[in-house]
Amino acid sequence: MLSRRVILKFLGKTSSRRNASNIWPSRITNPEYSERRQRLLEKLISTLKPGEKNVLVVLKGAERFFIAPDVPNSFRQCSHFRYLTGVTSPGCYYIMSAQVDDDQPKEQQRILVADRRTAVEELWEGQLPSESDWASTAQFSDLQPSKQLPAVLEKLCDQQTAVFVSESASSAISAIVGKKCFSLRSLAPFVDQLRLTKSSSEMDSMRDVCTLGAQTMCATIASSRNTHMENAIVGLLEYEGRRRGSEKQAYPPVVASGSRANTIHYLEANNDIHPNDCVLVDAGCDLNGYVSDITRCFPISGNWNDHQRSLYEALLFCHEQLIEYAASMEKVRLSYLYRRMMELLAASMGELGLIRQGDNASMLKAAEMLCPHHVSHYLGMDVHDTPSVSRDIELPSNVCFTIEPGVYVPLDWPRKEWRGIGFRIEDDVATLAGGGCELLTSSVPRSTQHIQQLMNQWH
Ligand SMILES: [Mn+2]
């Protein structure tokens, strides 16, 4: 049983201090940004073809995004750009150029292309960080205004240059450099490879954001009992996250009651919650450029009915087995976790009676109908992190990923009792040096009893 003291610890502290960075400072040091750029250059140089003497990296940051004319949306920097430069201002480019000698980078240039704001722009948008703030993480040798971008690129690019561009930059710059060099290559897979394995300060960043995400989920569940509207829970997530220091939600949260939980990306949250229904909440926090991703399901009344409980407990069994399985593997492979989820779902849903007992193949097919999504994705600076990395590789240590088995019973499913119920249980996990896994979101209750207790003790 959870004591009240333990429950209060789950909820974490809220702060009256004004700035989230006071509560959860960034863990990434300035030298770490330099190391990342150096490692990237070394990786790129190792792929050069005969005759190529220079490497040019053109990294484009995110642009501001407007939701109506002259109305800016909140800004989130492109994660590749932030990972390599630490710069979180919109509309920038970062150019790295290195001459290669004996497979080593020589005579490097690093140019930040960014515009300072005019007095009128500052009146509307506020001040940008100073040039020396930008330089502290990005360590540029030159700062150029954006109108100089074509000239900068033309100067650095010739027939012996291999040009690597971030996806979003390719069309904008191909006209400028495409004719002068052999080929444009995609930078994303190389940065994804670096980002897959977290440094120790990144692991601490993930622990921070997962702790914050866990506290936010606990507080939201604790204060949701008997809420009538899905949208009110979206508001609670925002409130409970931001008051603990979250900069924003990691992605638009799913708050789905009743059979709407069967729509995996249900974002409308515009329906009433029936007093006897369960709610599925899939939400994460965004802190210092790293994100969490947690899903929990709970009965809005605080009390499970028999069918909700039996299905939830069958899914929880799969979840717990998957966490044990991941911890027991010498090298985790997400594709093996997926196969294991299907086997576990087939067995446990067969035992429950939701799937008809039969041969393996027919039970696995039924399990696939009940869960249309994968059991896992990588996690880090983006919620679906490093997407160019296969889910069928042996993972080194310090890789973060989710474990999220789900079961979604269609309204026309042969067995009537569980029709229209959708559940998913999602936690964040990291591989450890020497084998095994760390459960980063362990403090969010997942048993029916602990969830019920969290909801009822709070009132
Ligand atoms: Mn997820």
Side-chain angles (χ1 to χ4, degrees):
M1 295 287 275
L2 299 176
S3 71
R4 187 171 174 83
R5 216 178 69 211
V6 170
I7 287 178
L8 286 171
K9 201 178 125 221
F10 285 172
L11 301 179
K13 286 201 181 98
T14 57
S15 177
S16 56
R17 280 182 276 183
R18 280 161 59 203
N19 195 335
S21 63
N22 292 333
I23 316 171
W24 307 93
S26 172
R27 305 272 192 171
I28 312 301
T29 61
N30 296 342
E32 184 161 345
Y33 290 104
S34 298
E35 282 165 32
R36 292 169 176 179
R37 290 189 294 268
Q38 191 62 24
R39 287 177 58 211
L40 176 66
L41 275 181
E42 283 165 14
K43 241 175 197 280
L44 298 178
I45 286 169
S46 73
T47 69
L48 290 186
K49 296 170 189 160
E52 292 177 335
K53 295 268 168 41
N54 309 308
V55 167
L56 181 65
V57 174
V58 185
L59 197 61
K60 184 179 188 292
E63 298 279 357
R64 293 171 75 208
F65 165 58
F66 292 82
I67 61 169
D70 294 333
V71 181
N73 208 341
S74 71
F75 178 74
R76 187 170 200 267
Q77 182 59 285
C78 157
S79 293
H80 283 346
F81 198 89
R82 185 167 185 171
Y83 179 81
L84 290 165
T85 70
V87 171
T88 55
S89 306
C92 302
Y93 281 82
Y94 190 79
I95 318 281
M96 281 196 285
S97 162
Q99 286 186 1
V100 182
D101 193 5
D102 264 350
D103 290 343
Q104 288 299 313
K106 295 267 150 56
E107 295 203 18
Q108 291 186 36
Q109 287 198 61
R110 297 175 304 278
I111 302 165
L112 180 68
V113 177
D115 293 325
R116 302 303 304 174
R117 283 182 180 154
T118 63
V120 173
E121 285 168 342
E122 282 189 355
L123 180 68
W124 285 88
E125 316 296 342
Q127 282 191 339
L128 287 171
S130 67
E131 288 180 21
S132 65
D133 283 341
W134 281 342
S136 62
T137 53
Q139 296 278 310
F140 46 82
S141 48
D142 194 8
L143 176 65
Q144 290 286 341
S146 56
K147 67 175 185 214
Q148 288 299 324
L149 179 67
V152 166
L153 292 175
E154 289 217 31
K155 201 169 142 202
L156 293 172
C157 180
D158 65 20
Q159 293 277 315
Q160 294 181 319
T161 306
V163 184
F164 295 86
V165 295
S166 56
E167 239 48 83
S168 55
S170 54
S171 63
I173 65 149
S174 58
I176 303 166
V177 297
K179 283 181 197 153
K180 285 189 75 178
C181 68
F182 291 117
S183 65
L184 291 171
R185 292 169 213 170
S186 172
L187 184 64
F190 298 98
V191 188
D192 277 357
Q193 280 298 328
L194 292 180
R195 281 174 50 192
L196 178 69
T197 306
K198 275 39 177 192
S199 68
S200 63
S201 50
E202 287 192 288
M203 284 298 295
D204 285 338
S205 306
M206 290 304 296
R207 289 183 187 107
D208 285 347
V209 74
C210 288
T211 301
L212 176 60
Q215 291 169 353
T216 300
M217 183 60 79
C218 286
T220 300
I221 295 171
S223 44
S224 283
R225 202 180 74 169
N226 294 330
T227 300
H228 302 291
M229 296 160 64
E230 293 167 343
N231 239 333
I233 296 179
V234 177
L236 280 173
L237 285 167
E238 190 85 36
Y239 172 69
E240 299 293 0
R242 285 187 187 245
R243 71 200 289 245
R244 286 172 174 76
S246 176
E247 288 159 42
K248 61 179 85 169
Q249 300 200 45
Y251 49 90
V254 177
V255 176
S257 64
S259 62
R260 284 175 293 279
N262 289 348
T263 306
I264 311 286
H265 287 161
Y266 170 77
L267 299 180
E268 289 82 355
N270 57 0
N271 278 280
D272 291 338
I273 303 173
H274 189 277
N276 298 329
D277 275 345
C278 284
V279 185
L280 180 153
V281 176
D282 181 345
C285 291
D286 189 335
L287 181 70
N288 295 318
Y290 292 82
V291 300
S292 61
D293 183 7
I294 303 173
T295 307
R296 286 293 183 272
C297 304
F298 51 91
I300 202 68
S301 66
N303 298 298
W304 305 81
N305 71 30
D306 289 347
H307 292 123
Q308 291 163 347
R309 183 192 302 275
S310 60
L311 183 63
Y312 183 89
E313 286 180 346
L315 180 67
L316 182 62
F317 172 78
C318 300
H319 182 85
E320 285 171 344
Q321 292 291 309
L322 283 165
I323 287 183
E324 263 185 43
Y325 178 60
S328 73
M329 289 163 94
E330 204 170 316
K331 294 274 185 193
V332 173
R333 248 182 215 256
L334 302 190
S335 57
Y336 288 5
L337 284 178
Y338 177 73
R339 204 172 59 198
R340 189 90 184 106
M341 170 178 77
M342 282 306 163
E343 291 165 0
L344 284 162
L345 278 176
S348 65
M349 297 306 155
E351 196 169 316
L352 179 68
L354 183 65
I355 290 178
R356 195 196 312 221
Q357 296 286 354
D359 57 83
N360 269 353
S362 69
M363 289 181 75
L364 280 172
K365 200 164 163 227
E368 276 170 28
M369 288 169 74
L370 289 170
C371 182
H373 59 70
H374 202 282
V375 71
S376 182
H377 53 80
Y378 300 115
L379 188 70
M381 297 183 77
D382 292 319
V383 64
H384 287 181
D385 208 51
T386 62
S388 70
V389 178
S390 164
R391 285 190 264 211
D392 194 24
I393 57 163
E394 287 188 347
L395 298 183
S397 56
N398 291 3
V399 174
C400 298
F401 59 95
T402 63
I403 292 186
E404 47 179 311
V407 57
Y408 313 89
V409 187
L411 288 165
D412 57 357
W413 193 256
R415 287 293 297 265
K416 269 194 271 193
E417 302 92 310
W418 295 281
R419 280 180 188 168
I421 304 180
F423 288 144
R424 176 167 65 258
I425 307 171
E426 176 177 31
D427 279 298
D428 302 340
V429 177
T431 54
L432 292 174
C437 286
E438 177 177 343
L439 186 53
L440 301 169
T441 48
S442 59
S443 65
V444 194
R446 47 186 80 66
S447 74
T448 52
Q449 184 194 14
H450 285 163
I451 287 172
Q452 194 158 327
Q453 214 177 348
L454 179 62
M455 295 185 76
N456 288 303
Q457 280 221 2
W458 192 242
H459 288 265

